[in-house]
Amino acid sequence: IAARHNMRPAFVKIDTEGSELGVLRGARRILREARPILLVETSDDLLTPLGRGTREVLTLLEEHGYACRDAVSGRPVRSGDGVRFHGDLVAIPTP
């Protein structure tokens, strides 16, 4: 939709009940070109039954030059942290 309408979103909210990784994979061009700030609701409780985890979401975002923080506490959340996550991530493109 973004490409078809020549849109460059500045902010994207993703809340897909466990399909966040698929959405982000489909949005790689937007992540690379538009570099929007993201609010991603993610939960290992929903991703684990699908054979995925928040770590994969974080890895994809990091590979695209995003730094992630817990939206509530503000603490950094990284793929290498090795903790289960349930909540909202704010992903900010790094320079």
Side-chain angles (χ1 to χ4, degrees), residues 1-12:
I1 292 172
R4 187 176 327 131
H5 297 285
N6 198 30
M7 297 168 58
R8 293 182 55 87
F11 178 82
V12 175

Side-chain angles (χ1 to χ4, degrees), residues 5-59:
H5 297 285
N6 198 30
M7 297 168 58
R8 293 182 55 87
F11 178 82
V12 175
K13 179 179 187 270
I14 302 171
D15 180 359
T16 54
E17 304 302 319
S19 298
E20 296 79 18
L21 190 59
V23 169
L24 290 166
R25 284 180 176 154
R28 286 181 174 164
R29 183 174 174 189
I30 290 172
L31 298 178
R32 188 175 51 252
E33 295 176 7
R35 312 282 296 145
I37 293 171
L38 307 170
L39 177 64
V40 182
E41 182 178 356
T42 186
S43 169
D44 280 306
D45 295 338
L46 294 172
L47 290 167
T48 300
L50 301 172
R52 299 183 176 120
T54 299
R55 180 178 180 186
E56 291 171 277
V57 171
L58 292 165
T59 298

